[in-house]
Amino acid sequence: MRHANHEILISAQDIQARVRELAAEIDAAFAGKHLTIVMISNGAIIFAADLVRKISIPLHLDTISVSSYIGTRNTNQVNILSQLKLDIKGRSVLVVDDIIDTGQTLAVILDEFRGMQPVDLKTCVLLDKNIGVARQVVPDFTGFEIADKFVVGYGLDYNEYYRNLPHIALLDQES
Ligand code: IMP
Ligand code: MG
């Protein structure tokens, strides 16, 4: 396994600049609301950690854990592995994920959360993969649109590796 062969798609600097813009959009959209940010771990933890530190309105923070991918293959089955610890009833909820691919993960989580009676339920993803078909879920806040390629870094993994890269890179399938 080599790290050096990955082609950088989005630099660490470009990510930080865009995360700052997203934080400003979120500050404006949720001003005066009772905001709870729910990050989907493990993929979203790096993005969410940077994002929340650039948001200035008061917020609660919670995590939920799901799994759907094995290697570069989507298993088409989203399993919720851990539940929320905070009560989201009556709160404005922003679900943060690293990437939207088929949209199944977000669809399952939004379904689950709707039953918990938040007053508002929105989504934010760093990356939106252009898969060329309409999805059930359209993210409310998107960092970057990318081509339909498997990417790693900045929280995104391949078999749990590469989450620590500071940039987004194309996975070198040879390594
Ligand atoms: P979806 O349910 O198909 O939208 O898939 C979303 C989840 O799959 C994300 O939260 C990621 O964990 C994972 N995923 C999708 N595409 C990639 C990728 O290119 N690299 C790494 N993980 C990915
Ligand atoms: Mg994920």
Side-chain angles (χ1 to χ4, degrees):
M1 174 155 325
R2 296 175 310 234
H3 283 226
N5 288 348
H6 292 155
E7 183 191 329
I8 295 179
L9 195 62
I10 308 171
S11 71
Q13 205 182 359
D14 287 353
I15 294 171
Q16 293 307 320
R18 184 70 186 119
V19 171
R20 195 170 295 284
E21 291 174 354
L22 285 172
E25 288 177 36
I26 291 163
D27 268 337
F30 293 98
K33 306 277 174 62
H34 298 284
L35 178 61
T36 300
I37 290 190
V38 178
M39 59 169 131
I40 306 178
S41 77
N42 295 332
I45 58 174
I46 310 269
F47 170 43
D50 281 345
L51 182 68
V52 296
R53 284 178 291 175
K54 293 179 172 80
I55 293 174
S56 47
I57 60 170
L59 59 86
H60 291 178
L61 187 58
D62 204 349
T63 62
I64 190 166
S65 173
V66 301
S67 76
S68 61
Y69 264 73
I70 297 173
T72 59
R73 193 167 55 85
N74 190 323
T75 61
N76 279 327
Q77 204 192 335
V78 178
N79 299 306
I80 296 187
L81 305 175
S82 84
Q83 301 293 329
L84 286 178
K85 289 153 278 308
L86 302 178
D87 187 2
I88 58 170
K89 185 174 180 181
R91 300 201 48 103
S92 293
V93 174
L94 179 66
V95 179
V96 174
D97 203 2
D98 50 1
I99 187 166
I100 183 167
D101 182 6
T102 63
Q104 275 178 323
T105 302
L106 283 173
V108 166
I109 287 173
L110 293 182
D111 259 7
E112 173 101 354
F113 285 4
R114 270 186 208 106
M116 301 176 183
Q117 301 170 18
V119 290
D120 192 10
L121 190 52
K122 289 197 160 59
T123 53
C124 174
V125 295
L126 179 70
L127 304 173
D128 181 336
K129 210 185 255 195
N130 184 354
I131 57 168
V133 294
R135 306 183 182 103
Q136 299 180 54
V137 178
V138 178
D140 298 285
F141 305 91
T142 299
F144 301 92
E145 294 187 4
I146 63 165
D148 190 5
K149 301 254 174 69
F150 198 85
V151 292
V152 293
Y154 199 67
L156 292 113
D157 74 303
Y158 171 67
N159 284 342
E160 299 303 327
Y161 282 101
Y162 310 121
R163 293 194 197 275
N164 57 316
L165 300 178
H167 49 257
I168 298 290
L170 290 175
L171 180 70
D172 176 3
Q173 307 269 13
E174 307 299 304
S175 54

